[in-house]
Amino acid sequence: MPEREHTRNSQVSLGCSSLYLLAAWACLVSATVLCEFVVVTGEEGDGGATTSVSRGIWKGTSDVNAGGCGNYGGVYIDSKWKTAKAFSIIGCFVGGTAVLPLVCACGKKLFMSQVVSMSGSCMWSCLFAGLTLLMLRSSACDIDGLVNTSCGLGVGAKLAISSTVLFFITSISMNCTFMAAVITQEMEAQQAEGGGDGSHDPES
């Protein structure tokens, strides 16, 4: 038990994991605030011109005649869309709890107990970022005035996918860093014990 506490209180440098974490969180925040999570393409009436409309999780184009990026007025938001909105905020918050110790460290080594906590936050953020993709199966793909529509990935959805992958890689990388540190310390402890036993052997 004391050895485990010693391991958790030891310090380690995250290396590339810190870059993956920052990139993952930046991608999720961008996916949340951008006005182009899904791109709905369809025809304006039967045989009409083909038009594309972009919608973000929180802001976007209300209908085919409305331009720009604004609040959704009079747009039906179903349960899947609401779920995507909720998990976009939860994911940004949980991911932020993993980023905060990294920022506060200012390039210095982190305690292993912090790394374990950050790894868990990254795995949860991976799940939450993936759940924002429910937007692709929501009422956001239903645009008044468009027929024969198709709902494709916008910039926001692509960033959400990137965030999901990066959070997963970061979590696995941090776990590997923790396990490597544990194995290294155990080997050093065994070598120290072996050296100590050898130093007390009487000369023949």
Side-chain angles (χ1 to χ4, degrees):
M1 194 69 178
E3 292 181 359
R4 181 173 296 180
E5 288 298 324
H6 173 70
T7 300
R8 293 178 67 86
N9 291 329
S10 62
Q11 292 180 308
V12 68
S13 177
L14 292 180
C16 292
S17 298
S18 59
L19 298 178
Y20 297 150
L21 174 56
L22 291 173
W25 191 65
C27 285
L28 182 55
V29 172
S30 298
T32 301
V33 301
L34 286 177
C35 295
E36 187 182 329
F37 197 93
V38 298
V39 178
V40 185
T41 303
E43 299 176 354
E44 297 185 33
D46 293 333
T50 301
T51 304
S52 296
V53 176
S54 300
R55 282 184 168 177
I57 296 178
W58 291 90
K59 290 185 177 182
T61 304
S62 298
D63 56 60
V64 69
N65 296 318
C69 177
N71 295 322
Y72 295 114
V75 175
Y76 171 66
I77 299 178
D78 63 359
S79 59
K80 292 181 180 179
W81 194 346
K82 292 177 181 178
T83 301
K85 293 175 72 172
F87 281 114
S88 68
I89 296 300
I90 296 173
C92 289
F93 175 77
V94 175
T97 61
V99 172
L100 184 60
L102 187 65
V103 174
C104 293
C106 296
K108 298 179 182 179
K109 292 183 177 181
L110 294 169
F111 290 106
M112 289 308 301
S113 57
Q114 291 178 304
V115 175
V116 173
S117 176
M118 291 166 66
S119 175
S121 296
C122 287
M123 189 56 73
W124 280 110
S125 297
C126 170
L127 173 64
F128 298 147
L131 286 172
T132 62
L133 296 174
L134 287 171
M135 182 85 170
L136 295 166
R137 295 291 182 266
S138 70
S139 60
C141 296
D142 300 329
I143 307 293
D144 293 337
L146 291 183
V147 296
N148 301 324
T149 59
S150 62
C151 197
L153 298 174
V155 176
K158 294 176 182 178
L159 287 172
I161 294 173
S162 300
S163 177
T164 302
V165 174
L166 286 170
F167 271 126
F168 180 78
I169 293 174
T170 304
S171 180
I172 297 300
S173 177
M174 287 182 176
N175 282 324
C176 290
T177 300
F178 176 76
M179 293 305 299
V182 171
I183 293 172
T184 300
Q185 289 189 0
E186 288 181 352
M187 292 177 63
E188 290 176 350
Q190 290 176 358
Q191 290 176 356
E193 290 176 359
D197 294 339
S199 63
H200 291 88
D201 289 337
E203 295 182 359
S204 56

